[in-house]
Short mmCIF file of all heavy atoms in Angstrom, two decimals:
data_model
loop_
_atom_site.label_atom_id
_atom_site.label_comp_id
_atom_site.label_asym_id
_atom_site.label_seq_id
_atom_site.Cartn_x
_atom_site.Cartn_y
_atom_site.Cartn_z
N MET A 249 0.83 -1.19 0.00
CA MET A 249 0.00 0.00 0.00
C MET A 249 0.87 1.26 0.00
O MET A 249 0.55 2.22 -0.65
CB MET A 249 -0.91 -0.02 1.22
CG MET A 249 -1.85 1.14 1.26
SD MET A 249 -3.46 0.53 1.67
CE MET A 249 -4.28 2.02 2.01
N LYS A 250 1.97 1.22 0.74
CA LYS A 250 2.87 2.38 0.79
C LYS A 250 3.50 2.63 -0.58
O LYS A 250 3.71 3.77 -0.98
CB LYS A 250 3.94 2.15 1.84
CG LYS A 250 4.82 3.34 2.07
CD LYS A 250 5.79 3.09 3.19
CE LYS A 250 6.64 4.33 3.42
NZ LYS A 250 7.61 4.11 4.47
N ASN A 251 3.77 1.56 -1.33
CA ASN A 251 4.38 1.67 -2.64
C ASN A 251 3.44 2.39 -3.61
O ASN A 251 3.88 3.21 -4.41
CB ASN A 251 4.72 0.27 -3.17
CG ASN A 251 5.62 0.32 -4.39
OD1 ASN A 251 6.22 1.35 -4.67
ND2 ASN A 251 5.70 -0.78 -5.10
N LYS A 252 2.15 2.12 -3.55
CA LYS A 252 1.18 2.79 -4.42
C LYS A 252 1.09 4.28 -4.08
O LYS A 252 0.96 5.11 -4.97
CB LYS A 252 -0.20 2.14 -4.30
CG LYS A 252 -0.32 0.83 -5.00
CD LYS A 252 -1.73 0.32 -4.94
CE LYS A 252 -1.85 -1.00 -5.68
NZ LYS A 252 -3.23 -1.49 -5.67
N LYS A 253 1.16 4.59 -2.79
CA LYS A 253 1.10 5.99 -2.38
C LYS A 253 2.32 6.75 -2.89
O LYS A 253 2.21 7.87 -3.37
CB LYS A 253 1.00 6.08 -0.87
CG LYS A 253 0.78 7.48 -0.36
CD LYS A 253 0.61 7.51 1.15
CE LYS A 253 0.33 8.92 1.62
NZ LYS A 253 0.19 8.98 3.07
N THR A 254 3.47 6.12 -2.80
CA THR A 254 4.70 6.74 -3.28
C THR A 254 4.65 6.96 -4.78
O THR A 254 5.05 8.02 -5.27
CB THR A 254 5.92 5.86 -2.92
OG1 THR A 254 5.94 5.65 -1.52
CG2 THR A 254 7.20 6.51 -3.34
N LYS A 255 4.16 5.98 -5.52
CA LYS A 255 4.03 6.14 -6.97
C LYS A 255 3.06 7.25 -7.31
O LYS A 255 3.28 8.00 -8.26
CB LYS A 255 3.57 4.83 -7.61
CG LYS A 255 4.65 3.79 -7.69
CD LYS A 255 4.15 2.56 -8.42
CE LYS A 255 5.22 1.49 -8.49
NZ LYS A 255 4.76 0.30 -9.20
N GLY A 256 1.99 7.39 -6.54
CA GLY A 256 1.02 8.45 -6.77
C GLY A 256 1.62 9.82 -6.54
O GLY A 256 1.38 10.76 -7.29
N ILE A 257 2.39 9.93 -5.48
CA ILE A 257 3.04 11.20 -5.17
C ILE A 257 4.05 11.56 -6.26
O ILE A 257 4.11 12.70 -6.71
CB ILE A 257 3.70 11.14 -3.78
CG1 ILE A 257 2.64 11.08 -2.69
CG2 ILE A 257 4.62 12.34 -3.56
CD1 ILE A 257 3.19 10.82 -1.31
N LEU A 258 4.83 10.58 -6.70
CA LEU A 258 5.81 10.83 -7.76
C LEU A 258 5.14 11.16 -9.08
O LEU A 258 5.65 11.98 -9.84
CB LEU A 258 6.72 9.62 -7.92
CG LEU A 258 7.75 9.40 -6.83
CD1 LEU A 258 8.54 8.13 -7.09
CD2 LEU A 258 8.68 10.59 -6.72
N ALA A 259 4.00 10.54 -9.35
CA ALA A 259 3.29 10.79 -10.60
C ALA A 259 2.79 12.23 -10.66
O ALA A 259 2.59 12.77 -11.75
CB ALA A 259 2.12 9.82 -10.74
N VAL A 260 2.59 12.86 -9.54
CA VAL A 260 2.15 14.26 -9.50
C VAL A 260 3.34 15.19 -9.37
O VAL A 260 3.40 16.24 -10.03
CB VAL A 260 1.17 14.47 -8.32
CG1 VAL A 260 0.84 15.93 -8.15
CG2 VAL A 260 -0.10 13.66 -8.54
N THR A 261 4.29 14.84 -8.54
CA THR A 261 5.42 15.72 -8.23
C THR A 261 6.35 15.92 -9.42
O THR A 261 6.76 17.05 -9.70
CB THR A 261 6.21 15.16 -7.04
OG1 THR A 261 5.32 14.98 -5.94
CG2 THR A 261 7.33 16.09 -6.64
N ILE A 262 6.69 14.85 -10.11
CA ILE A 262 7.65 14.96 -11.22
C ILE A 262 7.14 15.85 -12.35
O ILE A 262 7.85 16.75 -12.79
CB ILE A 262 8.08 13.56 -11.70
CG1 ILE A 262 8.93 12.90 -10.63
CG2 ILE A 262 8.84 13.64 -13.01
CD1 ILE A 262 9.31 11.47 -10.92
N PRO A 263 5.91 15.69 -12.84
CA PRO A 263 5.44 16.60 -13.89
C PRO A 263 5.33 18.06 -13.42
O PRO A 263 5.65 18.98 -14.18
CB PRO A 263 4.06 16.06 -14.26
CG PRO A 263 4.09 14.64 -13.86
CD PRO A 263 4.97 14.58 -12.66
N VAL A 264 4.92 18.27 -12.17
CA VAL A 264 4.84 19.64 -11.65
C VAL A 264 6.23 20.25 -11.56
O VAL A 264 6.43 21.41 -11.93
CB VAL A 264 4.13 19.65 -10.28
CG1 VAL A 264 4.27 21.00 -9.60
CG2 VAL A 264 2.67 19.28 -10.43
N LEU A 265 7.20 19.46 -11.13
CA LEU A 265 8.58 19.94 -11.05
C LEU A 265 9.12 20.25 -12.44
O LEU A 265 9.77 21.29 -12.64
CB LEU A 265 9.45 18.90 -10.36
CG LEU A 265 10.90 19.28 -10.09
CD1 LEU A 265 10.97 20.50 -9.18
CD2 LEU A 265 11.63 18.12 -9.46
N LEU A 266 8.85 19.39 -13.40
CA LEU A 266 9.30 19.65 -14.77
C LEU A 266 8.65 20.90 -15.35
O LEU A 266 9.30 21.69 -16.04
CB LEU A 266 9.00 18.44 -15.66
CG LEU A 266 9.89 17.23 -15.43
CD1 LEU A 266 9.39 16.05 -16.26
CD2 LEU A 266 11.32 17.53 -15.78
N LEU A 267 7.39 21.11 -15.06
CA LEU A 267 6.69 22.30 -15.53
C LEU A 267 7.29 23.56 -14.91
O LEU A 267 7.52 24.56 -15.60
CB LEU A 267 5.20 22.19 -15.21
CG LEU A 267 4.32 23.31 -15.71
CD1 LEU A 267 4.31 23.35 -17.23
CD2 LEU A 267 2.91 23.14 -15.19
N ALA A 268 7.58 23.51 -13.63
CA ALA A 268 8.17 24.66 -12.94
C ALA A 268 9.57 24.96 -13.48
O ALA A 268 9.92 26.12 -13.69
CB ALA A 268 8.22 24.40 -11.44
N LEU A 269 10.36 23.92 -13.71
CA LEU A 269 11.70 24.12 -14.26
C LEU A 269 11.65 24.68 -15.67
O LEU A 269 12.45 25.54 -16.04
CB LEU A 269 12.48 22.82 -14.23
CG LEU A 269 12.92 22.35 -12.85
CD1 LEU A 269 13.54 20.96 -12.93
CD2 LEU A 269 13.89 23.33 -12.23
N SER A 270 10.70 24.21 -16.46
CA SER A 270 10.55 24.73 -17.83
C SER A 270 10.15 26.19 -17.81
O SER A 270 10.69 27.00 -18.59
CB SER A 270 9.49 23.92 -18.58
OG SER A 270 9.89 22.59 -18.71
N ALA A 271 9.24 26.55 -16.94
CA ALA A 271 8.82 27.95 -16.83
C ALA A 271 9.98 28.82 -16.36
O ALA A 271 10.19 29.93 -16.88
CB ALA A 271 7.64 28.07 -15.87
N ALA A 272 10.76 28.33 -15.40
CA ALA A 272 11.91 29.10 -14.92
C ALA A 272 12.94 29.29 -16.02
O ALA A 272 13.53 30.37 -16.16
CB ALA A 272 12.54 28.39 -13.72
N TYR A 273 13.16 28.27 -16.83
CA TYR A 273 14.11 28.37 -17.94
C TYR A 273 13.63 29.40 -18.97
O TYR A 273 14.43 30.20 -19.47
CB TYR A 273 14.29 27.00 -18.60
CG TYR A 273 15.19 27.06 -19.81
CD1 TYR A 273 16.55 27.23 -19.68
CD2 TYR A 273 14.66 26.95 -21.10
CE1 TYR A 273 17.38 27.29 -20.78
CE2 TYR A 273 15.47 27.01 -22.21
CZ TYR A 273 16.83 27.18 -22.05
OH TYR A 273 17.64 27.26 -23.15
N LEU A 274 12.35 29.39 -19.27
CA LEU A 274 11.81 30.36 -20.23
C LEU A 274 11.95 31.79 -19.71
O LEU A 274 12.32 32.69 -20.47
CB LEU A 274 10.35 30.06 -20.55
CG LEU A 274 10.12 28.83 -21.41
CD1 LEU A 274 8.63 28.54 -21.52
CD2 LEU A 274 10.73 29.01 -22.79
N VAL A 275 11.67 32.00 -18.44
CA VAL A 275 11.83 33.33 -17.85
C VAL A 275 13.29 33.75 -17.90
O VAL A 275 13.62 34.89 -18.25
CB VAL A 275 11.28 33.36 -16.41
CG1 VAL A 275 11.67 34.63 -15.69
CG2 VAL A 275 9.78 33.19 -16.42
N TYR A 276 14.19 32.84 -17.58
CA TYR A 276 15.62 33.13 -17.64
C TYR A 276 16.04 33.52 -19.04
O TYR A 276 16.78 34.49 -19.23
CB TYR A 276 16.42 31.92 -17.15
CG TYR A 276 17.90 32.03 -17.45
CD1 TYR A 276 18.71 32.86 -16.68
CD2 TYR A 276 18.47 31.33 -18.50
CE1 TYR A 276 20.06 32.97 -16.96
CE2 TYR A 276 19.81 31.44 -18.78
CZ TYR A 276 20.61 32.26 -18.01
OH TYR A 276 21.93 32.38 -18.30
N ARG A 277 15.59 32.77 -20.04
CA ARG A 277 15.96 33.06 -21.43
C ARG A 277 15.42 34.42 -21.86
O ARG A 277 16.11 35.19 -22.54
CB ARG A 277 15.42 31.99 -22.37
CG ARG A 277 16.15 30.67 -22.33
CD ARG A 277 17.51 30.80 -22.97
NE ARG A 277 17.38 31.36 -24.29
CZ ARG A 277 17.84 30.83 -25.41
NH1 ARG A 277 18.48 29.71 -25.35
NH2 ARG A 277 17.66 31.42 -26.56
N LEU A 278 14.18 34.73 -21.51
CA LEU A 278 13.60 36.02 -21.88
C LEU A 278 14.36 37.18 -21.24
O LEU A 278 14.66 38.18 -21.90
CB LEU A 278 12.12 36.07 -21.48
CG LEU A 278 11.19 35.22 -22.32
CD1 LEU A 278 9.79 35.21 -21.71
CD2 LEU A 278 11.13 35.71 -23.74
N LEU A 279 14.67 37.04 -19.96
CA LEU A 279 15.41 38.10 -19.28
C LEU A 279 16.83 38.23 -19.82
O LEU A 279 17.36 39.33 -19.95
CB LEU A 279 15.44 37.85 -17.78
CG LEU A 279 14.09 37.98 -17.07
CD1 LEU A 279 14.22 37.61 -15.61
CD2 LEU A 279 13.52 39.37 -17.23
N SER A 280 17.44 37.11 -20.15
CA SER A 280 18.79 37.13 -20.70
C SER A 280 18.80 37.80 -22.07
O SER A 280 19.69 38.61 -22.36
CB SER A 280 19.31 35.70 -20.80
OG SER A 280 20.58 35.68 -21.38
N GLU A 281 17.83 37.47 -22.90
CA GLU A 281 17.74 38.08 -24.23
C GLU A 281 17.48 39.59 -24.12
O GLU A 281 18.06 40.37 -24.86
CB GLU A 281 16.62 37.41 -25.03
CG GLU A 281 16.48 37.91 -26.43
CD GLU A 281 17.63 37.51 -27.34
OE1 GLU A 281 18.30 36.50 -27.06
OE2 GLU A 281 17.84 38.22 -28.34
N LYS A 282 16.64 39.98 -23.18
CA LYS A 282 16.35 41.40 -22.98
C LYS A 282 17.61 42.14 -22.54
O LYS A 282 17.89 43.24 -23.03
CB LYS A 282 15.24 41.56 -21.94
CG LYS A 282 14.82 42.97 -21.73
CD LYS A 282 13.69 43.08 -20.74
CE LYS A 282 13.32 44.52 -20.53
NZ LYS A 282 12.29 44.69 -19.50
N ALA A 283 18.37 41.56 -21.62
CA ALA A 283 19.60 42.19 -21.15
C ALA A 283 20.62 42.30 -22.28
O ALA A 283 21.32 43.30 -22.41
CB ALA A 283 20.18 41.40 -19.98
N TYR A 284 20.71 41.27 -23.12
CA TYR A 284 21.64 41.28 -24.24
C TYR A 284 21.27 42.40 -25.23
O TYR A 284 22.12 43.16 -25.68
CB TYR A 284 21.62 39.93 -24.94
CG TYR A 284 22.53 39.85 -26.14
CD1 TYR A 284 23.88 39.60 -25.99
CD2 TYR A 284 22.03 40.03 -27.43
CE1 TYR A 284 24.72 39.54 -27.09
CE2 TYR A 284 22.86 39.97 -28.53
CZ TYR A 284 24.20 39.73 -28.36
OH TYR A 284 25.03 39.68 -29.44
N GLU A 285 19.99 42.49 -25.56
CA GLU A 285 19.55 43.54 -26.49
C GLU A 285 19.79 44.93 -25.91
O GLU A 285 20.17 45.84 -26.62
CB GLU A 285 18.08 43.34 -26.83
CG GLU A 285 17.81 42.14 -27.71
CD GLU A 285 18.43 42.26 -29.09
OE1 GLU A 285 18.47 43.38 -29.65
OE2 GLU A 285 18.90 41.24 -29.59
N GLU A 286 19.55 45.08 -24.62
CA GLU A 286 19.75 46.37 -23.97
C GLU A 286 21.23 46.75 -24.00
O GLU A 286 21.58 47.91 -24.23
CB GLU A 286 19.25 46.30 -22.52
CG GLU A 286 19.31 47.60 -21.78
CD GLU A 286 18.32 48.64 -22.26
OE1 GLU A 286 17.27 48.26 -22.82
OE2 GLU A 286 18.61 49.84 -22.10
N LYS A 287 22.09 45.78 -23.81
CA LYS A 287 23.53 46.03 -23.81
C LYS A 287 24.02 46.51 -25.17
O LYS A 287 24.86 47.40 -25.26
CB LYS A 287 24.26 44.75 -23.41
CG LYS A 287 25.77 44.85 -23.42
CD LYS A 287 26.39 43.53 -23.05
CE LYS A 287 27.89 43.58 -23.12
NZ LYS A 287 28.51 42.31 -22.77
N TRP A 288 23.51 45.93 -26.24
CA TRP A 288 24.04 46.21 -27.57
C TRP A 288 23.18 47.17 -28.38
O TRP A 288 23.50 47.44 -29.53
CB TRP A 288 24.20 44.90 -28.35
CG TRP A 288 25.29 44.06 -27.77
CD1 TRP A 288 25.15 42.98 -26.98
CD2 TRP A 288 26.70 44.26 -27.93
NE1 TRP A 288 26.37 42.48 -26.63
CE2 TRP A 288 27.34 43.24 -27.20
CE3 TRP A 288 27.47 45.20 -28.61
CZ2 TRP A 288 28.72 43.14 -27.14
CZ3 TRP A 288 28.84 45.09 -28.54
CH2 TRP A 288 29.46 44.08 -27.81
N LYS A 289 22.13 47.74 -27.81
CA LYS A 289 21.23 48.59 -28.61
C LYS A 289 21.92 49.86 -29.11
O LYS A 289 21.60 50.34 -30.18
CB LYS A 289 19.96 48.92 -27.84
CG LYS A 289 20.09 49.97 -26.78
CD LYS A 289 18.74 50.25 -26.15
CE LYS A 289 18.88 51.36 -25.15
NZ LYS A 289 17.61 51.68 -24.54
N ASP A 290 22.87 50.38 -28.37
CA ASP A 290 23.57 51.60 -28.81
C ASP A 290 24.45 51.32 -30.03
O ASP A 290 24.70 52.21 -30.83
CB ASP A 290 24.43 52.16 -27.69
CG ASP A 290 23.59 52.70 -26.54
OD1 ASP A 290 22.42 53.08 -26.81
OD2 ASP A 290 24.10 52.73 -25.41
N TYR A 291 24.90 50.11 -30.18
CA TYR A 291 25.79 49.78 -31.29
C TYR A 291 25.03 49.48 -32.57
O TYR A 291 25.62 49.46 -33.64
CB TYR A 291 26.66 48.58 -30.92
CG TYR A 291 27.60 48.91 -29.78
CD1 TYR A 291 27.29 48.54 -28.48
CD2 TYR A 291 28.77 49.61 -30.02
CE1 TYR A 291 28.15 48.85 -27.44
CE2 TYR A 291 29.64 49.92 -28.98
CZ TYR A 291 29.31 49.54 -27.69
OH TYR A 291 30.16 49.86 -26.67
N HIS A 292 23.73 49.24 -32.48
CA HIS A 292 22.94 48.99 -33.70
C HIS A 292 22.88 50.26 -34.57
O HIS A 292 22.84 50.18 -35.78
CB HIS A 292 21.54 48.53 -33.34
CG HIS A 292 21.50 47.11 -32.85
ND1 HIS A 292 21.76 46.04 -33.63
CD2 HIS A 292 21.22 46.63 -31.61
CE1 HIS A 292 21.66 44.94 -32.92
NE2 HIS A 292 21.34 45.26 -31.68
N ASP A 293 22.86 51.42 -33.92
CA ASP A 293 22.76 52.68 -34.66
C ASP A 293 24.03 52.98 -35.46
O ASP A 293 23.96 53.55 -36.54
CB ASP A 293 22.49 53.83 -33.69
CG ASP A 293 21.14 53.72 -33.04
OD1 ASP A 293 20.24 53.06 -33.63
OD2 ASP A 293 20.96 54.25 -31.92
N CYS A 294 25.19 52.59 -34.95
CA CYS A 294 26.43 52.93 -35.63
C CYS A 294 26.88 51.85 -36.60
O CYS A 294 27.89 52.01 -37.28
CB CYS A 294 27.54 53.25 -34.63
SG CYS A 294 28.05 51.85 -33.65
N GLY A 295 26.15 50.74 -36.67
CA GLY A 295 26.46 49.72 -37.66
C GLY A 295 27.52 48.71 -37.24
O GLY A 295 27.97 47.93 -38.05
N LEU A 296 27.92 48.71 -35.98
CA LEU A 296 28.93 47.76 -35.54
C LEU A 296 28.35 46.41 -35.16
O LEU A 296 29.06 45.43 -35.14
CB LEU A 296 29.69 48.31 -34.32
CG LEU A 296 30.59 49.50 -34.61
CD1 LEU A 296 31.23 50.00 -33.31
CD2 LEU A 296 31.67 49.14 -35.61
N ALA A 297 27.07 46.36 -34.89
CA ALA A 297 26.48 45.08 -34.46
C ALA A 297 25.55 44.54 -35.53
O ALA A 297 24.96 45.19 -36.30
CB ALA A 297 25.74 45.25 -33.16
#
């Protein structure tokens, strides 16, 4: 009986954890891309980037 309970908990926990990690990665990528664009935006006008 304990084994079924553990499998049930894992069946819920693992997908929720994967979803949270995926969302965190997407937020990280968006913020990283925004910071990169902000860093190099002045160079777009002069043609160096």
Side-chain angles (χ1 to χ4, degrees):
M249 183 134 168
K250 187 176 181 181
N251 192 16
K252 284 185 179 183
K253 186 177 183 181
T254 303
K255 285 184 181 180
I257 291 172
L258 287 177
V260 173
T261 305
I262 291 175
V264 169
L265 185 61
L266 287 174
L267 184 64
L269 288 173
S270 297
Y273 176 73
L274 288 174
V275 169
Y276 168 76
R277 286 289 306 235
L278 288 172
L279 292 176
S280 178
E281 183 70 24
K282 184 178 178 184
Y284 179 82
E285 289 296 324
E286 184 70 26
K287 177 181 177 180
W288 292 102
K289 77 177 184 179
D290 292 335
Y291 295 99
H292 286 292
D293 294 335
C294 67
L296 291 177

